[in-house]
Amino acid sequence: TYPGRREELLALQTQLLAQVDQTVIPLRSATLTTTLSRLMESLRRDHAYHAQGDGSVRFLLTGAAASSEGLALALALYCQRLELTCQVVEGTRDGVTHFWTVVETQDGFRHLDPSLESAQFYTDGELAQLNYLWDTAAVPACAGDEGPEAAP
């Protein structure tokens, strides 16, 4: 829960959604892969990643550094505003708690980690090779045989 009065929270929500819409509306006509790539680039360009950063989407308004949870939630919010199916995943990367997003693409579901420097779409096997672990029963399967798909 967030501290503050209901009116303050509603005003914050309105401000946040307006800012998110400024980012996503111009992308509505782009291909899905291009849209997701640009969203990831926007997050990385405009917001610093820090393991101890903000774990909510409020960083989008404050300019504070974001944790993997904050970045994954922000990417999910962008996807939801575009009516894309997605899910935030809690797992570990190299044994440390970490968050990322699974998004439905034209090739099926894919893992996207906005805390990484490169915008790539990963299958389950590819992400597991990078030392990620998660509850596979709780997350849509990201199947495929090819290598990581680089975002354009």
Side-chain angles (χ1 to χ4, degrees), residues 15-108:
Q15 183 183 6
L16 178 63
L17 292 178
Q19 183 166 333
V20 167
D21 285 345
Q22 284 181 347
T23 301
V24 301
I25 287 173
L27 298 175
R28 288 190 187 271
S29 62
T31 67
L32 181 57
T33 301
T34 298
T35 296
L36 291 170
S37 298
R38 289 188 181 158
L39 291 175
M40 299 260 295
E41 290 167 5
S42 173
L43 283 171
R44 286 192 318 274
R45 179 187 64 240
D46 299 337
H47 306 286
Y49 166 69
H50 189 279
Q52 303 303 317
D54 191 337
S56 74
V57 293
R58 291 182 82 159
F59 76 90
L60 292 171
L61 296 174
T62 65
S67 67
S68 65
E69 183 176 17
L71 289 170
L73 288 168
L75 181 58
L77 177 58
Y78 286 160
C79 290
Q80 289 166 359
R81 295 301 280 180
L82 290 166
E83 299 179 357
L84 301 175
T85 302
C86 67
Q87 179 179 335
V88 173
V89 180
E90 179 179 6
T92 62
R93 183 173 83 184
D94 295 325
V96 177
T97 300
H98 192 75
F99 294 82
W100 61 94
T101 311
V102 168
V103 180
E104 188 171 20
T105 72
Q106 63 271 18
D107 297 320

